[in-house]
């Protein structure tokens, strides 16, 4: 079901002849509450169980399918003037994703989620996508980016970054020591390093631009 819905959204976005906004609204509006419920139920979960230790388990495969759906929902929100709740939930409840990244799920899931966060911070509103600029003046996107920025800065201010592996073995963010037996040059996944750094910089940038109090900015 997850795969089918994801494929329909992706194919709709590809089809230049379709009235995308109308089709997506007709498809997603009846599922809005259901998809948010899925998000809560699937991501607000104890992921340290043995079901998720293997990147090839059915549980891991289902989780990857759900992340693919979240990515499709993110891409589809540009088509609607007022995005649905299921297209906003990734921003508004990003703490679930941040907790999942620091859990013991396989590295492939952590990396996929970090790259999804990167797409969130680079996301454009409907108006910006048409003009090619980025203003973030769209009210839903502004609210969503502020929620995401607050959540990211809150966890980074604690020890969250220190819990993020930078490869499939044991090199961690901020560590200068390669994992035992690793080549020092290839010890970390540079794609993840860049994506995490961009997410943090964008969160800082947005928070600073939308903070009234000087103390809050500091």
């Amino acid at each position: 079901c997850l795969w089918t819905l994801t494929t329909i959204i992706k194919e709709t976005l590809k089809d230049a002849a379709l009235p995308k906004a109308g089709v997506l609204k007709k498809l997603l509006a009846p599922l809005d509450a259901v998809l948010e419920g899925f998000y809560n139920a699937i991501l607000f979960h104890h992921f340290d169980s043995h079901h998720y230790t293997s990147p090839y388990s059915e549980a891991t495969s289902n989780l990857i399918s759900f992340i693919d759906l979240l990515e499709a929902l993110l891409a589809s929100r540009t088509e609607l003037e007022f995005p649905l709740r299921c297209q906003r939930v990734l921003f508004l409840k990003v703490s679930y994703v941040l907790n999942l990244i620091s859990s013991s799920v396989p590295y492939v899931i952590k990396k996929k989620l970090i790259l999804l966060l990167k797409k969130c911070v680079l996301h454009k509103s409907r108006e910006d996508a048409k003009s090619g600029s980025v203003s973030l003046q769209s009210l839903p996107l502004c609210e969503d980016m502020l929620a995401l920025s607050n959540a990211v800065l809150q966890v980074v201010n604690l020890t969250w970054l220190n819990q993020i592996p930078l490869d499939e073995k044991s090199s961690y963010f901020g560590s200068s020591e390669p994992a035992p037996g690793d080549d020092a040059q290839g010890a970390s996944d540079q794609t993840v390093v860049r994506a995490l750094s961009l997410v943090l910089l964008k969160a800082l940038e947005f928070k600073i631009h939308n903070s009234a109090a000087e103390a809050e900015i500091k």
Side-chain angles (χ1 to χ4, degrees):
C1 289
L2 291 173
W3 182 88
T4 303
L5 184 56
T6 303
T7 303
I8 291 170
I9 294 170
K10 285 181 175 178
E11 291 303 315
T12 301
L13 293 175
K14 280 183 197 172
D15 195 331
L18 278 178
K20 297 184 181 66
V23 172
L24 289 168
K25 199 163 186 180
K26 192 173 181 180
L27 172 68
L28 296 175
L31 296 172
D32 203 21
V34 175
L35 290 174
E36 184 175 1
F38 263 32
Y39 184 92
N40 296 339
I42 291 174
L43 298 190
F44 191 65
H45 182 72
H46 188 67
F47 285 100
D48 296 325
S49 73
H50 67 279
H51 296 295
Y52 295 93
T53 51
S54 167
Y56 308 107
S57 69
E58 185 180 358
T60 300
S61 179
N62 289 340
L63 190 51
I64 288 173
S65 293
F66 187 65
I67 296 167
D68 288 339
L69 175 59
L70 290 177
E71 193 173 332
L73 288 170
L74 174 66
S76 71
R77 70 174 275 163
T78 310
E79 300 298 330
L80 300 184
E81 188 175 356
F82 298 104
L84 298 167
R85 180 79 183 181
C86 65
Q87 295 170 309
R88 301 181 64 194
V89 69
L90 181 58
F91 292 82
L92 301 176
K93 297 184 179 179
V94 72
S95 58
Y96 291 13
V97 170
L98 298 172
N99 290 338
L100 183 50
I101 291 170
S102 61
S103 74
S104 61
V105 292
Y107 180 74
V108 63
I109 290 177
K110 295 174 188 274
K111 181 172 182 176
K112 203 167 175 61
L113 286 170
I114 289 167
L115 294 177
L116 181 57
L117 285 180
K118 176 186 166 186
K119 288 183 178 179
C120 286
V121 299
L122 294 176
H123 187 72
K124 295 179 180 179
S125 70
R126 186 167 177 256
E127 295 75 18
D128 292 338
K130 287 179 179 177
S131 67
S133 63
V134 182
S135 66
L136 287 177
Q137 293 305 307
S138 160
L139 185 59
L141 184 57
C142 190
E143 288 176 355
D144 294 354
M145 279 298 299
L146 194 55
L148 184 144
S149 299
N150 284 334
V152 167
L153 294 175
Q154 193 174 359
V155 295
V156 169
N157 209 27
L158 302 171
T159 58
W160 183 79
L161 277 179
N162 298 332
Q163 302 169 52
I164 310 304
L166 296 180
D167 65 5
E168 294 196 64
K169 295 177 184 173
S170 59
S171 176
Y172 283 79
F173 198 94
S175 169
S176 58
E177 294 293 321
D182 275 358
D183 172 20
Q185 294 298 317
S188 60
D189 185 334
Q190 294 303 306
T191 303
V192 170
V193 174
R194 287 194 298 270
L196 273 172
S197 301
L198 182 63
V199 168
L200 179 53
L201 286 170
K202 284 287 186 182
L204 271 171
E205 178 188 34
F206 193 76
K207 180 68 175 170
I208 288 169
H209 287 171
N210 290 275
S211 295
E214 191 177 342
E216 192 179 18
I217 292 173
K218 285 181 181 178

